[in-house]
Amino acid sequence: MNKNIKVPMAALVRLTTYLRCLNEMKQSNVQTISSSDIEDATGINAAQFRKDLSYFGEFGKPGVGYNIDELHDTIARILKVDEERPVILIGAGNLGSALLGYSGLPENNFRIVGVFDNDRHKIGYKLWDNEIYDISTIKARNAKIGAKIAILTVPVKSAQDVVDDLIESGISLILNFAPVPIHVSKDIMVRNVCFIQELTILSYHLKS
Amino acid sequence: MNKNIKVPMAALVRLTTYLRCLNEMKQSNVQTISSSDIEDATGINAAQFRKDLSYFGEFGKPGVGYNIDELHDTIARILKVDEERPVILIGAGNLGSALLGYSGLPENNFRIVGVFDNDRHKIGYKLWDNEIYDISTIKARNAKIGAKIAILTVPVKSAQDVVDDLIESGISLILNFAPVPIHVSKDIMVRNVCFIQELTILSYHLKS
């Protein structure tokens, strides 16, 4: 398998979809699947799935299909989520707390290694098992932690300021839950979680 | 404008992206934008944007561009989010609480009109301004409320049971935050919010 292929964004999104789907399938007793099972589960057509995989080598056996565990591990390797990644969480509010308690993070090799907030009433207290640190200490702390990925669950009004601090602290990848556009230089990557889009898609299908 | 065109899912996702982007632009002082501004803001190429709009009529003026407010309202109409939609929330935990307090919902014409949980320690108490109702009363309550859309923020183990109750109560569109696949019949639509996918895409771009 050639791990150095640069995967285009659209293919990357599809690969994460396959991985998610395989994660779910691993919990069942099924061991082998076909590309049309993938189509049923993801909505991405079987030919596209086979084409996406073909860039990385030969997988599956004709007439037999794909071994779920093998396919999962291969895609995890392609996506580089076969090793644990340290992540810091900024914002110890309701959403931050919900994310911190979410088992999907460790199950997918993401480990929250630091929680930061600017609220004096929260700093020093624990959120789940994590001490809440003062955001003003992030640069010194992340020099030790070495996280590159941050999850941002702060209010709209502080989002941009926090991002500037994060970048100074060595963070280059940001998952933004704040419903506001964030401006960063080209070497920093931001992905926005926007469930309003999903609600809009649902609402569009409302029968009148 | 022909409102009865059936928009394919991929175009629908793009339209919600344009709308999100226009929502943000409305907050600035800019009044007119070009299709290449849209490309810069969304990553969707300008030709695709013009093609997506062309299905619905003629918009924008050559050499002048699009009026942001007009374009916003047009896409909101196409997506049918120009009117308020009642939504119920199932699960009064951390995530449910975070969503209930999220200003993006009313700003996008989604109004949470009922909050339900099965926890005796929560039922009857208030979450923000909303009384938490017993989930076992949902059928009777939604007969009055008439919501078709539900947001699901319950633990994995209760997700499927809750969905079955929701469908019996007249819900046909479900936004699922529980990290578990949900099985529904073809006339029910489920969209899953999966931020692990976004984290995976970020993590892939980690420079080693």
Side-chain angles (χ1 to χ4, degrees):
Chain A
M1 186 178 74
N2 186 345
K3 275 182 74 176
N4 297 317
I5 296 172
K6 193 172 181 312
V7 185
M9 184 57 84
L12 206 49
V13 173
R14 287 193 300 273
L15 285 167
T16 63
T17 305
Y18 305 142
L19 188 66
R20 173 167 192 259
C21 163
L22 289 163
N23 262 331
E24 289 163 4
M25 287 172 169
K26 277 179 76 164
Q27 291 161 32
S28 70
N29 286 323
V30 187
Q31 291 186 342
T32 315
I33 49 153
S34 66
S35 52
S36 70
D37 293 332
I38 292 278
E39 176 167 341
D40 289 345
T42 64
I44 301 167
N45 81 57
Q48 180 69 60
F49 167 71
R50 290 191 301 268
K51 191 177 160 199
D52 285 336
L53 283 190
S54 70
Y55 290 112
F56 303 97
E58 297 281 330
F59 305 102
K61 288 180 191 149
V64 177
Y66 302 87
N67 175 286
I68 290 181
D69 288 333
E70 273 177 32
L71 188 59
H72 175 276
D73 292 353
T74 300
I75 296 179
R77 242 183 349 261
I78 294 170
L79 292 174
K80 309 181 201 168
V81 284
D82 51 337
E83 283 170 40
E84 196 178 72
R85 302 280 192 214
V87 175
I88 57 172
L89 173 72
I90 318 294
N94 285 315
L95 181 57
S97 175
L99 294 179
L100 198 57
Y102 175 55
S103 63
L105 285 169
E107 282 164 20
N108 287 277
N109 269 336
F110 295 106
R111 191 161 62 92
I112 294 184
V113 292
V115 179
F116 294 85
D117 205 294
N118 68 351
D119 183 344
R120 279 185 304 131
H121 300 98
K122 290 180 181 168
I123 294 164
Y125 287 86
K126 286 208 167 184
L127 191 63
W128 302 82
D129 280 340
N130 297 69
E131 184 176 337
I132 302 170
Y133 299 125
D134 187 337
I135 184 78
S136 72
T137 66
I138 191 165
K139 203 168 166 180
R141 287 194 190 273
N142 203 39
K144 290 179 197 156
I145 298 171
K148 299 287 179 195
I149 306 176
I151 301 179
L152 199 61
T153 61
V154 301
V156 164
K157 65 181 187 325
S158 12
Q160 186 67 51
D161 287 346
V162 167
V163 165
D164 297 341
D165 289 346
L166 288 176
I167 293 170
E168 270 191 47
S169 310
I171 294 292
S172 56
L173 305 163
I174 298 167
L175 184 66
N176 175 37
F177 280 85
V180 64
I182 280 174
H183 305 286
V184 293
S185 60
K186 282 200 173 163
D187 50 332
I188 307 295
M189 187 174 188
V190 178
R191 299 283 297 184
N192 298 295
V193 177
C194 191
F195 70 92
I196 293 288
Q197 283 188 293
E198 296 299 329
L199 261 184
T200 305
I201 290 168
L202 284 174
S203 157
Y204 178 78
H205 288 87
L206 203 59
K207 291 180 185 74
S208 42
Chain B
M1 188 178 74
N2 185 346
K3 276 183 74 176
N4 296 317
I5 296 172
K6 194 172 180 312
V7 184
M9 184 59 82
L12 206 48
V13 173
R14 286 193 301 273
L15 285 167
T16 63
T17 305
Y18 306 142
L19 189 65
R20 173 165 191 259
C21 164
L22 290 163
N23 262 331
E24 290 163 3
M25 287 172 168
K26 278 180 76 165
Q27 291 161 31
S28 70
N29 287 322
V30 187
Q31 291 186 339
T32 314
I33 49 154
S34 66
S35 51
S36 70
D37 294 332
I38 293 278
E39 177 167 340
D40 290 346
T42 63
I44 300 167
N45 80 57
Q48 180 70 61
F49 167 71
R50 290 192 300 270
K51 192 177 160 199
D52 285 337
L53 282 190
S54 70
Y55 289 112
F56 304 98
E58 297 282 329
F59 305 103
K61 286 179 193 151
V64 177
Y66 303 87
N67 176 285
I68 290 182
D69 288 333
E70 273 177 35
L71 188 58
H72 175 276
D73 292 352
T74 300
I75 296 179
R77 242 182 350 260
I78 293 170
L79 292 174
K80 308 181 201 170
V81 285
D82 51 338
E83 282 170 41
E84 195 177 72
R85 302 280 191 215
V87 175
I88 57 172
L89 172 71
I90 319 294
N94 285 315
L95 180 58
S97 176
L99 294 178
L100 198 57
Y102 175 57
S103 63
L105 285 169
E107 282 163 22
N108 287 277
N109 270 336
F110 295 107
R111 190 161 63 92
I112 294 185
V113 292
V115 179
F116 295 85
D117 206 295
N118 68 352
D119 183 344
R120 278 187 306 132
H121 300 98
K122 290 180 180 166
I123 294 164
Y125 287 86
K126 284 208 168 185
L127 190 63
W128 300 81
D129 280 340
N130 298 69
E131 183 176 338
I132 301 170
Y133 299 123
D134 186 338
I135 184 76
S136 72
T137 66
I138 191 165
K139 203 167 166 180
R141 287 195 191 272
N142 203 39
K144 288 178 199 159
I145 298 171
K148 299 288 178 193
I149 305 177
I151 300 178
L152 199 61
T153 61
V154 300
V156 164
K157 63 180 188 325
S158 13
Q160 186 66 51
D161 286 347
V162 167
V163 165
D164 297 341
D165 289 346
L166 287 176
I167 294 170
E168 269 190 48
S169 310
I171 294 293
S172 56
L173 305 162
I174 298 167
L175 184 67
N176 175 36
F177 280 85
V180 63
I182 280 176
H183 305 284
V184 292
S185 60
K186 283 199 171 161
D187 51 332
I188 307 295
M189 186 173 189
V190 178
R191 299 283 296 183
N192 298 294
V193 176
C194 191
F195 70 93
I196 293 289
Q197 282 189 292
E198 296 299 328
L199 262 184
T200 304
I201 289 168
L202 285 173
S203 158
Y204 177 79
H205 290 86
L206 203 59
K207 291 181 186 75
S208 42

